[in-house]
């Protein structure tokens, strides 16, 4: 399951970055790694702020969507800051890339969670249980994911 989440994040980051001619070739790999880490960090930050219910609602196709959600906005900001500071991308390029990647990732999470009922997607209940019962755990799936990325 952890591998599925990591692959999903990296895949969407890679697609958006490789298809963006404004990102220099020599910075694309660093941009993928930084974006993946920033998304993971953003998820951990939001889970530690007890937003687990909001995240679960959004990923289940609830009223909050990936385009109008404070969690998504927070993660987008985390990605923009990381890309500007660590990779040296301009604010404009980082913002465009962040919006594309983060929205794409959350839409994919929601889609995979929806498919879980048919046995093909991510089981949202299993994923959420690995976050910790109160949403404050930095261990579980995202803590482990962060360890792989460092």
């Amino acid at each position: 399951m952890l591998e599925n989440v990591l692959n999903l994040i990296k895949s969407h980051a890679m697609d958006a970055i490789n298809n963006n001619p404004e990102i220099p070739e020599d910075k694309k790999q660093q941009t993928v790694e930084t974006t993946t880490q920033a998304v993971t960090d953003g998820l951990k930050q939001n889970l530690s702020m007890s937003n687990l219910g909001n995240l679960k609602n959004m990923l289940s196709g609830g009223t909050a969507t990936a385009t109008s959600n404070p969690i998504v906005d927070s993660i987008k900001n985390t990605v923009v800051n990381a890309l500007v500071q660590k990779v040296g991308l301009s604010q404009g390029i980082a913002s465009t890339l962040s919006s594309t990647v983060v929205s794409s990732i959350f839409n994919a999470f929601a889609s995979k969670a929806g498919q879980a009922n048919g046995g093909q997607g991510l089981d949202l209940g299993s994923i959420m249980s690995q976050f910790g019962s109160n949403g404050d755990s930095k261990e579980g799936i995202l803590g482990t994911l962060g360890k792989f990325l460092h």
Side-chain angles (χ1 to χ4, degrees):
M1 189 175 334
L2 174 62
E3 188 174 320
N4 290 344
V5 173
L6 179 59
N7 287 338
L8 183 69
I9 293 170
K10 277 192 169 184
S11 172
H12 284 271
M14 231 182 285
D15 288 346
I17 292 163
N18 287 333
N19 293 322
N20 189 328
E22 295 183 84
I23 301 172
E25 285 297 322
D26 63 330
K27 290 189 175 188
K28 287 190 177 190
Q29 183 60 37
Q30 182 183 8
T31 303
V32 169
E33 292 169 6
T34 301
T35 301
T36 303
Q37 181 63 51
V39 169
T40 304
D41 290 346
L43 286 169
K44 284 195 285 188
Q45 287 170 352
N46 279 284
L47 290 174
S48 67
M49 292 186 298
S50 300
N51 284 334
L52 190 58
N54 290 334
L55 182 63
K56 185 174 181 179
N57 184 41
M58 181 179 61
L59 295 178
S60 300
T63 56
T65 66
T67 56
S68 62
N69 187 288
I71 294 171
V72 174
D73 290 341
S74 171
I75 294 170
K76 285 179 183 178
N77 289 335
T78 300
V79 172
V80 169
N81 290 334
L83 291 174
V84 169
Q85 293 172 4
K86 294 179 181 177
V87 181
L89 297 181
S90 72
Q91 184 79 25
I93 293 171
S95 293
T96 300
L97 183 61
S98 175
S99 291
T100 301
V101 171
V102 174
S103 294
S104 176
I105 289 168
F106 274 95
N107 287 333
F109 279 159
S111 174
K112 293 286 186 189
Q115 292 174 3
N117 292 334
Q120 300 173 4
L122 299 172
D123 178 1
L124 189 59
S126 295
I127 292 171
M128 291 301 171
S129 70
Q130 292 187 32
F131 289 135
S133 60
N134 63 5
D136 288 339
S137 175
K138 288 189 179 182
E139 292 307 311
I141 197 166
L142 291 176
T144 305
L145 180 62
K147 292 174 190 172
F148 280 114
L149 296 172
H150 285 288

